[in-house]
Amino acid sequence: MVISLANQKGGVGKTTTAVNLSASIAVAEKKTLLIDMDPQCNATTGLGVTYNGLYTHLYNVLIGKSSIKETIRKTDVPYLDILPAHPDLIGAEVELLDMDNREFVLRAILKEIRGDYDYIFIDCPPSLGLLTINSLVASDFVIIPLQCEYYALEGLAMLLRTITIIKKRLNQGLETLGVLLTMFDKRNNLSYRVQEEVNNYFSGSVFKTVIPRNVKLSESPSYGKPALLYDICSKGAESYLELAAEILEKRRQNE
């Protein structure tokens, strides 16, 4: 199962979700791969991998200079591997423009290792360029993280339109797994209003699990660890373990 985490709006908790959800699924002893498609490399460093020391990375894989199997790295979380990013990924958008079947490059690459993993998560960049399109074309599902703030739904129509176009023209099997509310503040009435609005707008498509604002979630990337390794008792770690359980249950119901 390949799942993209996508939202062209930055600061919505997308990478935090990619790192902590993949780690939480791996803790359930599911073989998991996290692909960092973002040139900012935050998912890579958030799992303790220093991109400066890599002899190969995702950019090399996308342009055909390295194989995916030689590029995947182990992490400190058992059952969790990462396909690391590098700032060179910025140039991949230009390189892909000249390639045949440019929207299908990642899907073709993943064919080699799809059978090796129970779950593959893709952390998309905060844009709707070719890297995100490749991610969605290669995916079975997409999760949309949405922060509980005033401009939560701003720009979301563009993302939903992109998903619809990709489903129609490039990947008929693509489905939205759910909208995930992040940065929920119980002390703030605005969070509850956004939650109500999102539940009305996406009736039946919102995860029951809500990710709270949590200091440990903010601190853990600076230590190169997901929250469950940094402080498993934190509310942030607990919420992502709950989300993982919700996704695993959805899969069991659909099998």
Side-chain angles (χ1 to χ4, degrees), residues 41-104:
C41 311
N42 290 335
T44 299
T45 57
L47 285 175
V49 177
T50 305
Y51 58 77
N52 285 332
L54 297 172
Y55 68 88
T56 184
H57 40 75
L58 178 57
Y59 172 73
N60 295 329
V61 177
L62 289 174
I63 65 173
K65 286 189 175 180
S66 300
S67 74
I68 188 169
K69 287 192 173 181
E70 71 177 311
T71 307
I72 289 171
R73 296 283 177 271
K74 297 287 184 185
T75 73
D76 290 336
V77 182
Y79 294 93
L80 177 59
D81 296 342
I82 186 164
L83 182 56
H86 189 276
D88 286 353
L89 263 177
I90 293 172
E93 294 270 1
V94 178
E95 299 268 4
L96 289 168
L97 282 172
D98 294 328
M99 292 185 184
D100 295 331
N101 297 314
R102 60 192 181 189
E103 299 92 350
F104 296 88

Side-chain angles (χ1 to χ4, degrees), residues 186-234:
K186 289 183 178 180
R187 301 165 300 175
N188 191 337
N189 287 334
L190 178 61
S191 288
Y192 292 97
R193 290 204 300 272
V194 171
Q195 183 180 36
E196 183 180 2
E197 188 174 356
V198 170
N199 275 303
N200 289 336
Y201 192 83
F202 297 99
S203 179
S205 299
V206 183
F207 285 106
K208 294 177 183 175
T209 304
V210 175
I211 309 301
R213 281 197 178 276
N214 181 252
V215 172
K216 300 299 183 182
L217 284 178
S218 301
E219 291 178 348
S220 58
S222 64
Y223 292 87
K225 297 178 179 181
L228 58 82
L229 287 187
Y230 180 61
D231 185 354
I232 196 168
C233 295
S234 66

Side-chain angles (χ1 to χ4, degrees), residues 2-243:
V2 182
I3 303 171
S4 279
L5 293 108
N7 193 327
Q8 82 276 16
K9 190 173 177 356
V12 300
K14 179 178 54 60
T15 299
T16 298
T17 297
V19 169
N20 288 286
L21 175 56
S22 60
S24 297
I25 292 285
V27 166
E29 299 187 351
K30 302 294 183 183
K31 291 194 69 177
T32 307
L33 173 66
L34 175 57
I35 299 174
D36 189 355
M37 283 288 278
D38 190 343
Q40 296 177 86
C41 311
N42 290 335
T44 299
T45 57
L47 285 175
V49 177
T50 305
Y51 58 77
N52 285 332
L54 297 172
Y55 68 88
T56 184
H57 40 75
L58 178 57
Y59 172 73
N60 295 329
V61 177
L62 289 174
I63 65 173
K65 286 189 175 180
S66 300
S67 74
I68 188 169
K69 287 192 173 181
E70 71 177 311
T71 307
I72 289 171
R73 296 283 177 271
K74 297 287 184 185
T75 73
D76 290 336
V77 182
Y79 294 93
L80 177 59
D81 296 342
I82 186 164
L83 182 56
H86 189 276
D88 286 353
L89 263 177
I90 293 172
E93 294 270 1
V94 178
E95 299 268 4
L96 289 168
L97 282 172
D98 294 328
M99 292 185 184
D100 295 331
N101 297 314
R102 60 192 181 189
E103 299 92 350
F104 296 88
V105 172
L106 183 61
R107 183 154 88 176
I109 290 168
L110 291 187
K111 283 182 180 178
E112 188 179 347
I113 54 95
R114 269 191 79 134
D116 297 339
Y117 294 95
D118 299 304
Y119 288 86
I120 298 174
F121 292 97
I122 306 174
D123 183 28
C124 297
S127 68
L128 294 178
L130 268 174
L131 292 177
T132 296
I133 291 171
N134 262 265
S135 301
L136 294 173
V137 170
S139 295
D140 304 306
F141 297 97
V142 58
I143 291 174
I144 303 172
L146 205 63
Q147 82 280 31
C148 293
E149 295 179 356
Y150 184 73
Y151 293 111
L153 297 176
E154 186 183 67
L156 193 59
M158 190 181 298
L159 174 61
L160 295 175
R161 189 160 56 247
T162 299
I163 292 171
T164 299
I165 291 170
I166 288 173
K167 180 176 173 64
K168 183 178 179 180
R169 301 180 184 175
L170 301 170
N171 180 9
Q172 293 182 1
L174 181 65
E175 300 290 345
T176 299
L177 191 60
V179 175
L180 175 67
L181 290 170
T182 63
M183 305 180 191
F184 190 92
D185 188 346
K186 289 183 178 180
R187 301 165 300 175
N188 191 337
N189 287 334
L190 178 61
S191 288
Y192 292 97
R193 290 204 300 272
V194 171
Q195 183 180 36
E196 183 180 2
E197 188 174 356
V198 170
N199 275 303
N200 289 336
Y201 192 83
F202 297 99
S203 179
S205 299
V206 183
F207 285 106
K208 294 177 183 175
T209 304
V210 175
I211 309 301
R213 281 197 178 276
N214 181 252
V215 172
K216 300 299 183 182
L217 284 178
S218 301
E219 291 178 348
S220 58
S222 64
Y223 292 87
K225 297 178 179 181
L228 58 82
L229 287 187
Y230 180 61
D231 185 354
I232 196 168
C233 295
S234 66
K235 291 293 184 184
E238 289 176 358
S239 64
Y240 278 110
L241 288 168
E242 288 174 14
L243 177 62

